[in-house]
Amino acid sequence: MGRRKRDKTKIEEGCDCTELETLAVQFVDGELEDEQRQRLLIHIQTCYRCARLVRSLKRTVHYCHLETGPEVPETAHRQLWQRLQEVLKSTKQKKSR
Amino acid sequence: MSETKGLQVAVPGLPVSDEELVRRVQQGNMEAFEELVRRYERKVYNITYRLLGNEQDATEALQDTFLRAYRFLPKFQFKSSFYTWLYRIATNVSLTRLRRRGNVEVVSLDAPVPDTDDLKFDLPDTAQTPEEAFAQKRLREKLDQAVRELPEEYRKVVVLRDLQGLSNEEVSRILKLSVPAVKSRLHRARLALREKLAGYI
């Protein structure tokens, strides 16, 4: 397996941020085993960059989960129901023949 | 919008399940289909809008999704939940439209992004001041844009998993991917979104 290219700007002394990124995503999903979770929590006590990564990732995913998305615009709603009524009416007519 | 008259509840006080409504549609009850549309109209619109990125295309894809669902519902075999099946149609309809459009804006995940630690906006609050509402609107626009700029393979995963709230297993069934593949794409998508939203969240 080839070596993954590291982004030097993301590497803190003593921290392999490539691995940390994977752990951070799993941490946000609550999928880390206790040992890995502890390792991550201890690490972010002293690593500013990784703490920031975990925090912003958590907030991003949390925001996505909270985001309800746009309402269906009135025009879209009206057009949908108009087409549906046409199709349903045509089905009814076919059945009654 | 039509009335729901004629829809009897299976258990008094409880709404009729999707599966029961599907059975009724299969027996020729068209009001049951209208009820399914009412239940999923917004969720389907959210998928088509997020995947296509504009109201016009999303509106047409919304119609195509439900018309296709109506056409194929007689063949629905209850091997998955109704909504998983419906979301798969919505996703496929949107992606077909997206490819036909051919002008997909894709931004490399390796592209440099501004790196800022400012927390200019907070998470949504139910009691918002006008300033907060404006910030919220900006954030939503920023999220829409960020999602739109994701490569298609990441966009569809993040739309279904994080914005529609489906499980990894449901997303894997809809996109016909393995669960590890879903997780891997979600992982990349989240890191990209996080970078794109830096400074706003």
Side-chain angles (χ1 to χ4, degrees), chain B residues 19 32 45 54 63 68 73 76 85 139 156 179 181 184-185 190:
Chain B
E19 283 65 33
Y45 181 76
N54 73 73
Q63 294 172 31
R68 192 175 282 239
L73 210 49
F76 184 75
W85 180 79
L139 181 52
K156 55 193 182 186
V179 171
S184 160
R185 291 179 188 198
R190 284 175 172 176

Side-chain angles (χ1 to χ4, degrees), chain B residues 104-117:
Chain B
V104 190
E105 187 187 0
V106 176
V107 174
S108 165
L109 290 184
D110 300 324
V113 290
D115 188 10
T116 167
D117 201 35

Side-chain angles (χ1 to χ4, degrees), chain B residues 9-196:
Chain B
V9 288
V11 178
L14 289 178
V16 181
S17 69
D18 289 351
E19 283 65 33
E20 176 55 27
L21 289 171
V22 171
R23 274 188 204 95
R24 292 181 190 186
V25 176
Q26 290 178 335
Q27 289 160 9
N29 182 338
M30 282 169 268
E31 287 160 347
F33 187 70
E34 291 178 350
E35 174 60 18
L36 286 169
V37 176
R38 271 190 285 277
R39 282 185 190 181
Y40 289 102
E41 184 180 350
R42 182 168 180 184
K43 286 175 192 282
V44 168
Y45 181 76
N46 270 266
I47 293 176
T48 61
Y49 180 76
R50 298 282 191 205
L51 290 177
L52 289 161
N54 73 73
E55 220 175 279
Q56 176 67 34
D57 281 340
T59 298
E60 289 173 14
L62 172 73
Q63 294 172 31
D64 290 348
T65 299
F66 281 112
L67 292 178
R68 192 175 282 239
Y70 181 68
R71 190 170 148 211
F72 290 103
L73 210 49
K75 292 179 184 168
F76 184 75
Q77 293 180 327
F78 299 92
K79 286 180 181 167
S80 67
S81 61
F82 168 73
Y83 70 82
T84 306
W85 180 79
L86 182 68
Y87 292 175
R88 186 188 297 162
I89 295 176
T91 306
N92 289 341
V93 162
S94 303
L95 294 179
T96 303
R97 186 170 283 268
L98 197 63
R99 285 166 194 151
R100 209 184 299 144
R101 202 167 69 188
N103 60 345
V104 190
E105 187 187 0
V106 176
V107 174
S108 165
L109 290 184
D110 300 324
V113 290
D115 188 10
T116 167
D117 201 35
D118 295 340
L119 297 174
K120 292 174 185 166
F121 295 91
D122 211 338
L123 292 172
D125 191 344
T126 48
Q128 288 181 324
T129 63
E131 292 77 16
E132 286 168 339
F134 177 75
Q136 187 59 38
K137 186 170 175 288
R138 278 284 316 275
L139 181 52
R140 176 176 278 181
E141 286 167 1
K142 192 73 192 166
L143 177 67
D144 286 348
Q145 186 191 342
V147 171
R148 216 163 38 235
E149 288 174 355
L150 287 175
E152 182 189 307
E153 61 184 312
Y154 299 137
R155 189 185 330 160
K156 55 193 182 186
V157 171
V158 90
V159 165
L160 294 170
R161 178 69 172 81
D162 283 342
L163 293 165
Q164 293 293 316
L166 302 182
S167 66
N168 289 328
E169 289 71 23
E170 287 172 322
V171 177
S172 84
R173 281 197 292 274
I174 290 172
L175 299 179
K176 295 186 177 168
L177 290 170
S178 66
V179 171
V182 169
K183 285 185 179 179
S184 160
R185 291 179 188 198
L186 184 65
H187 166 128
R188 300 288 302 161
R190 284 175 172 176
L191 289 171
L193 270 189
R194 171 240 165 205
E195 289 193 348
K196 288 172 188 291

Side-chain angles (χ1 to χ4, degrees), chain A residues 4 10 18 21-26 28-29 31 48-49 52-57 59-73 75-81 83-85 87-89 91-92 95, chain B residues 1-2 27-28 30 33-34 37-38 41-42 45-46 49-50 55 59-60 62-64 66-67 70 115-117 119 121-124 136 139-140 143 161-163 168 183 186-188 190-191 193-195 197 201:
Chain A
R4 293 183 68 172
K10 289 185 175 178
T18 307
E21 279 186 352
T22 310
L23 289 183
V25 175
Q26 291 174 324
V28 168
D29 267 344
E31 288 185 348
Y48 170 73
R49 280 183 185 276
R52 199 178 63 177
L53 168 71
V54 169
R55 185 183 58 172
S56 66
L57 192 57
R59 288 172 76 103
T60 301
V61 175
H62 183 57
Y63 174 69
C64 286
H65 288 175
L66 284 181
E67 169 61 39
T68 52
E71 294 270 359
V72 182
T75 318
H77 173 75
R78 203 175 47 246
Q79 285 178 6
L80 168 68
W81 281 89
R83 278 190 76 185
L84 278 179
Q85 292 309 324
V87 170
L88 297 179
K89 195 175 162 190
T91 310
K92 267 184 194 169
K95 279 185 182 172
Chain B
M1 202 187 291
S2 308
Q27 289 160 9
M30 282 169 268
F33 187 70
E34 291 178 350
V37 176
R38 271 190 285 277
E41 184 180 350
R42 182 168 180 184
Y45 181 76
N46 270 266
Y49 180 76
R50 298 282 191 205
E55 220 175 279
T59 298
E60 289 173 14
L62 172 73
Q63 294 172 31
D64 290 348
F66 281 112
L67 292 178
Y70 181 68
D115 188 10
T116 167
D117 201 35
L119 297 174
F121 295 91
D122 211 338
L123 292 172
Q136 187 59 38
L139 181 52
R140 176 176 278 181
L143 177 67
R161 178 69 172 81
D162 283 342
L163 293 165
N168 289 328
K183 285 185 179 179
L186 184 65
H187 166 128
R188 300 288 302 161
R190 284 175 172 176
L191 289 171
L193 270 189
R194 171 240 165 205
E195 289 193 348
L197 295 174
I201 286 186

